[in-house]
């Protein structure tokens, strides 16, 4: 078509009004959403109209549906994880409401614990008194809850915002003490010295859930322990005698544990070799002979081999055995016996594990199983990460800074075979992002397997262990998705005893009085727990902190007992809400519900897990909730 024809065609064709061809409804909806401006108005309108109360009134007398709220932490602004969690719960309760249930929703908050204490310490320093820390922590948590509540309402979540539960409410704090007492009555609570995760910045033990793994630079050491019984060592290998000094060699990434060494662990089923390297004889696992010699830049020949089970009980000298302190004393004149343990492997290192029982759970269990008494376990590392002031050679030094000093001492003693820097995955505190250690500390534990608790009420001890009870409960709970059941089952089946005590201020107290000499609990402990709960219910945990030993025990017993300052770890707070919320502070709302919630929901990333406890016969997809 020519340009002239195109112009003629365009001029002759009228413009089409396409809007007139659409049959659109006439509405008052604005063309633009303007959600940031309009949503607050909707929320205010719902509040002014009392929509949530009207929903409850409309379902008065109907069967209840209880989604028990796992509490968010009262620390910081809400994030996407909060939004996913709360919106899903809101969808479920509203859907159940439409199905005819009285689907009330009571929001809650977790208010105690280290995150809040850390926030207070950052703002006010680390030398606050217990009373000051508790007062500031309560004020901070109150402020955080108010901020989060506004944001949760903004998400459109309907619930009992005028009557939420807070674990720091005195009634909940008291209810938690009573729940703890019931656990004690069943014989599950005991006190023990065990290695637990310890954070120097927190100044407290940590739960497994408070640990994350990050890369850490460490120095590996191969350290030689001289044989104290060369004749017995030769006989164990079927040799008439040894013509040179013999040493067992260990490999470790934790140089700071060497000064506290008390034993050596060999695997009973692994073959071990005596290797003649010219100047000395070395004992290492036979499969690792070549790699060890290469690492030490040595050559050698195997004199004899034997299984580890033939070496049990042999004694070797601590690598700093002959090193004198400035005062002339020999603080490491002790022997390290060989204990047989399956966790020693020939996968790497030397096939021999050095054991400092205060700083490793497997080491601790091995030494205890071989008869080492608790008061024989060396535990020189203090809660702040320094060695005790009177500890030989390294007293007062922080363990991380002492590593090069220890290495140099081993080198000067002729016991250092080699060192190497590596980067490896290592446990860190999830709050401070700093490395943690295993450290033996007298703590309170909930026992998962057989054993006696500190107090057991007559007729209350169950026929099954707590682990068995928990695993049975998992089998009677429906999950969505179903693999959540397997994950929880495996976690409970393999988890160790639960360390429930923390050495902090902002938390529910463990209201115990310990005898100054024996360490035993006062014989009236169960009665005292009831008394403590009553005091806390009236005045909060602060009221218990102000109580003196004399006020509780009287003038006659008071001089012989100390008041525990430990608190229950924060996971016990949220884990016991089924008792002190559903059956406690908010029981009137759940009066016809029965002892359990219908649903617990957790949203982690893009994975959503549901557990039905009572009414529903099988788990169903979220869309069906």
């Amino acid at each position: 078509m020519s340009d002239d024809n195109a112009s003629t065609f365009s001029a002759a064709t009228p413009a089409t009004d396409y809007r007139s061809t659409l049959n659109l409804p006439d509405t008052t909806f604005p063309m633009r959403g303007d959600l940031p401006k309009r949503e607050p108005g909707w929320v205010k309108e719902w509040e002014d109209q009392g929509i949530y109360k009207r929903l409850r009134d409309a379902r008065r007398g109907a069967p209840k549906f209880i989604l028990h709220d796992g509490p968010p932490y009262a620390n910081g602004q809400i994030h996407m994880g909060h939004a996913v969690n709360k919106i899903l719960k809101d969808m479920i309760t509203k859907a159940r409401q439409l199905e005819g249930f009285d689907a009330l929703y009571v929001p809650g908050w977790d208010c105690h614990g280290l995150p809040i204490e850390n926030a207070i310490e950052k703002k006010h320093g680390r030398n606050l008194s217990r009373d000051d820390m508790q007062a500031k922590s309560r004020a901070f948590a109150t402020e955080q809850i108010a901020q989060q509540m506004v944001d949760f309402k903004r998400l459109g979540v309907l619930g009992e915002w005028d009557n939420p539960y807070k674990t720091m409410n005195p009634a909940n704090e008291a209810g938690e003490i009573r729940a703890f007492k019931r656990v004690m009555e069943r014989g599950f609570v005991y006190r023990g010295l065990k290695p637990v995760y310890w954070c120097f910045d927190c100044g407290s033990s940590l739960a497994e859930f408070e640990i994350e793994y990050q890369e850490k630079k460490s120095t590996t050491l191969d350290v030689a322990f001289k044989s104290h019984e060369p004749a017995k060592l030769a006989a164990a290998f079927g040799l008439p005698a040894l013509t040179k000094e013999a040493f067992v060699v260990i490999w470790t990434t934790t140089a700071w544990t060497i000064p506290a060494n008390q034993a050596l662990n060999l695997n009973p089923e692994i073959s071990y070799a005596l290797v003649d390297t010219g100047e000395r004889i070395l004992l290492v696992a036979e499969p690792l002979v070549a790699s060890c010699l290469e690492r030490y830049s040595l050559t050698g020949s195997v004199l004899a081999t034997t299984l580890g089970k033939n070496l049990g009980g042999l004694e070797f000298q601590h690598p700093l055995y002959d090193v004198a302190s400035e005062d002339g004393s020999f603080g490491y004149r002790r022997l390290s016996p060989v204990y047989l343990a399956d966790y020693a492997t020939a996968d790497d290192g030397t096939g021999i594990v050095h054991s400092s029982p205060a700083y490793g759970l497997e080491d601790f269990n091995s030494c205890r199983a071989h008869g080492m008494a608790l008061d024989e376990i060396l535990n020189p590392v203090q809660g702040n990460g320094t060695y005790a002031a009177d500890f030989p050679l390294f007293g007062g030094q922080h363990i991380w800074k002492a590593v090069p000093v220890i290495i140099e001492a081993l080198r000067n003693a002729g016991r250092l075979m080699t060192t190497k820097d590596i980067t490896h995955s290592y446990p860190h505190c999830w709050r401070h992002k700093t490395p943690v250690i295993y450290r033996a500390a007298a703590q309170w534990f909930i026992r998962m397997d057989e054993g006696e608790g500190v107090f057991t009420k007559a007729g209350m001890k169950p026929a099954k262990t707590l682990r068995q009870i928990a695993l049975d409960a998992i089998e009677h709970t429906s999950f969505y998705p179903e693999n959540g059941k397997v994950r929880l089952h495996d976690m409970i089946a393999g988890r160790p005893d639960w360390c429930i005590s923390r050495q902090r201020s902002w938390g529910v107290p463990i209201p115990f009085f310990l005898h100054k000499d024996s360490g035993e609990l006062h014989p009236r402990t169960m009665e005292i727990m009831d008394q403590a709960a009553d005091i806390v219910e009236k005045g909060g945990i602060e009221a218990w902190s102000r109580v003196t030993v004399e006020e509780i025990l009287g003038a006659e017993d008071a001089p012989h007992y100390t008041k525990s300052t430990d608190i229950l770890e924060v996971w016990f707070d949220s884990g016991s809400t089924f008792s002190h919320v559903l059956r406690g502070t908010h029981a009137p709302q759940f009066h016809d519900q029965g002892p359990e919630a219908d649903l617990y929901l957790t949203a982690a990333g893009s994975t959503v897990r549901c557990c039905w406890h009572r009414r529903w016969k099988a788990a169903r997809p979220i869309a069906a909730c």
Side-chain angles (χ1 to χ4, degrees):
M1 182 183 295
S2 67
D3 291 342
D4 290 342
N5 290 337
S7 300
T8 300
F9 181 82
S10 299
T13 305
T16 301
D17 182 6
Y18 288 105
R19 288 179 297 179
S20 65
T21 68
L22 300 176
N23 187 17
L24 296 175
D26 186 14
T27 73
T28 59
F29 294 159
M31 293 299 294
R32 298 182 62 184
D34 278 337
L35 293 182
K37 296 180 181 178
R38 299 178 65 210
E39 283 177 343
W42 294 342
V43 172
K44 185 178 185 303
E45 183 179 350
W46 294 343
E47 288 187 341
D48 292 343
Q49 295 177 358
I51 292 295
Y52 181 76
K53 183 179 184 303
R54 291 165 63 185
L55 289 172
R56 299 282 62 74
D57 291 342
R59 290 291 183 264
R60 190 178 304 276
K64 279 189 167 58
F65 174 83
I66 307 300
L67 188 162
H68 182 42
D69 192 25
Y73 204 78
N75 187 30
Q77 294 183 330
I78 68 170
H79 48 68
M80 188 58 71
H82 289 111
V84 171
N85 187 289
K86 280 291 188 285
I87 290 171
L88 284 171
K89 290 175 180 177
D90 190 55
M91 291 167 58
I92 293 167
T93 53
K94 286 174 179 173
R96 284 287 178 260
Q97 177 82 14
L98 293 173
E99 288 187 0
F101 290 97
D102 182 6
L104 71 162
Y105 173 62
V106 178
W109 272 274
D110 219 346
C111 309
H112 297 124
L114 274 171
I116 288 176
E117 282 204 40
N118 288 337
I120 299 302
E121 287 179 347
K122 287 179 181 178
K123 187 174 181 179
H124 300 284
R126 304 192 67 174
N127 297 316
L128 298 177
S129 68
R130 193 177 191 86
D131 289 346
D132 203 11
M133 172 60 76
Q134 290 176 344
K136 286 180 167 56
S137 295
R138 188 174 290 277
F140 178 82
T142 301
E143 173 188 311
Q144 297 299 305
I145 289 171
Q147 172 184 295
Q148 290 186 5
M149 186 182 294
V150 170
D151 293 338
F152 286 144
K153 289 181 180 180
R154 180 70 191 279
L155 295 175
V157 177
L158 295 181
E160 303 207 7
W161 297 111
D162 294 333
N163 185 31
Y165 78 84
K166 306 171 187 176
T167 59
M168 70 176 180
N169 283 345
N172 291 103
E173 294 173 332
E176 187 175 334
I177 293 174
R178 295 182 180 114
F180 179 49
K181 179 191 173 187
R182 288 194 291 274
V183 176
M184 289 186 65
E185 288 175 336
R186 302 182 78 182
F188 293 141
V189 177
Y190 72 97
R191 190 179 193 227
L193 179 74
K194 278 189 176 183
V196 292
Y197 285 120
W198 190 277
C199 173
F200 300 138
D201 293 295
C202 294
S204 176
S205 59
L206 301 181
E208 290 184 47
F209 302 103
E210 299 171 297
I211 296 297
E212 63 182 18
Y213 282 81
Q214 298 181 19
E215 294 296 298
K216 178 182 181 294
K217 184 178 180 182
S218 296
T219 301
T220 68
L221 293 82
D222 288 72
V223 181
F225 289 64
K226 183 180 177 180
S227 173
H228 190 67
E229 305 168 308
K232 288 184 179 180
L233 178 61
F237 279 91
L239 299 174
L242 299 178
T243 59
K244 302 169 184 175
E245 289 184 333
F247 299 81
V248 65
V249 185
I250 64 93
W251 177 88
T252 184
T253 61
T254 54
W256 62 269
T257 64
I258 292 291
N261 172 273
Q262 291 184 270
L264 300 166
N265 285 289
L266 280 69
N267 191 306
E269 302 304 321
I270 289 178
S271 176
Y272 289 88
L274 281 181
V275 184
D276 187 346
T277 64
E279 293 185 1
R280 58 174 72 173
I281 295 172
L282 304 181
L283 169 57
V284 297
E286 184 182 10
L288 298 171
V289 169
S291 60
C292 287
L293 290 176
E294 181 180 1
R295 197 159 66 244
Y296 309 150
S297 300
L298 295 174
T299 58
S301 59
V302 174
L303 298 176
T305 62
T306 191
L307 290 177
K309 63 184 179 182
N310 298 320
L311 302 174
L314 292 178
E315 292 185 321
F316 292 80
Q317 297 173 3
H318 190 281
L320 300 176
Y321 188 87
D322 292 322
V323 178
S325 300
E326 290 183 0
D327 61 1
S329 63
F330 292 87
Y332 294 94
R333 281 278 169 93
R334 62 176 183 268
L335 302 177
S336 298
V338 170
Y339 295 150
L340 302 179
D342 292 338
Y343 71 91
T345 70
D347 297 335
D348 53 21
T350 65
I352 297 104
V353 176
H354 105 87
S355 180
S356 295
Y359 307 118
L361 192 56
E362 290 174 319
D363 295 348
F364 178 88
N365 291 336
S366 173
C367 288
R368 291 287 289 148
H370 286 85
M372 187 177 292
L374 290 177
D375 58 5
E376 294 177 327
I377 293 176
L378 297 176
N379 191 11
V381 179
Q382 308 301 291
N384 62 359
T386 62
Y387 292 112
D390 59 350
F391 191 59
L393 300 179
F394 314 108
Q397 300 183 46
H398 195 281
I399 63 168
W400 305 133
K401 296 181 179 180
V403 167
V405 182
I406 294 169
I407 291 174
E408 188 62 23
L410 292 169
R411 181 180 286 112
N412 292 338
R415 299 295 183 262
L416 183 67
M417 301 299 297
T418 189
T419 65
K420 180 182 178 181
D421 289 337
I422 63 168
T423 300
H424 60 138
S425 180
Y426 189 87
H428 286 64
C429 172
W430 74 344
R431 298 181 183 92
H432 293 98
K433 313 302 179 185
T434 51
V436 301
I437 67 167
Y438 266 115
R439 176 175 178 266
Q443 302 285 353
W444 294 99
F445 295 87
I446 290 181
R447 191 187 303 280
M448 296 297 293
D449 298 304
E450 291 291 346
E452 289 299 321
V454 285
F455 277 92
T456 305
K457 188 174 181 179
M460 289 288 288
K461 187 172 179 61
K464 296 182 178 181
T465 67
L466 183 57
R467 192 185 307 278
Q468 292 167 336
I469 293 171
L471 293 176
D472 287 347
I474 291 171
E475 291 305 314
H476 289 88
T477 303
S478 298
F479 288 76
Y480 180 85
E482 290 187 2
N483 64 359
K485 183 174 188 176
V486 176
R487 292 180 62 184
L488 184 58
H489 184 283
D490 291 347
M491 184 187 78
I492 296 298
R495 73 155 294 130
D497 290 349
W498 180 14
C499 177
I500 56 170
S501 52
R502 295 291 181 270
Q503 292 68 51
R504 303 296 295 190
S505 301
W506 178 233
V508 175
I510 297 179
F512 291 164
F513 292 88
L514 303 171
H515 196 279
K516 292 180 179 179
D517 296 328
S518 67
E520 296 295 322
L521 289 177
H522 193 277
R524 290 197 299 108
T525 290
M526 303 308 272
E527 175 189 332
I528 291 170
M529 293 189 76
D530 290 332
Q531 189 176 355
D534 292 341
I535 291 171
V536 169
E537 190 163 16
K538 293 177 181 177
I541 62 172
E542 296 87 341
W544 178 255
S545 294
R546 293 189 292 268
V547 165
T548 65
V549 181
E550 290 79 8
E551 289 175 304
I552 302 298
L553 302 186
E556 184 176 345
D557 281 355
H560 307 293
Y561 285 86
T562 58
K563 179 184 176 186
S564 171
T565 57
D566 287 354
I567 63 171
L568 286 166
E569 74 133 330
V570 73
W571 296 94
F572 197 96
D573 286 31
S574 53
S576 59
T577 56
F578 78 92
S579 175
H580 60 80
V581 175
L582 295 184
R583 305 174 191 174
T585 56
H586 289 70
Q589 292 138 288
F590 308 138
H591 62 88
D592 62 348
Q593 169 63 17
E596 296 177 342
D598 292 303
L599 176 68
Y600 290 81
L601 179 145
T602 177
S606 60
T607 302
V608 179
R609 306 191 182 282
C610 287
C611 311
W612 274 265
H613 276 266
R614 191 169 66 91
R615 186 175 292 127
W616 319 113
K617 301 302 182 184
R620 293 180 281 180
I622 288 296
C625 291

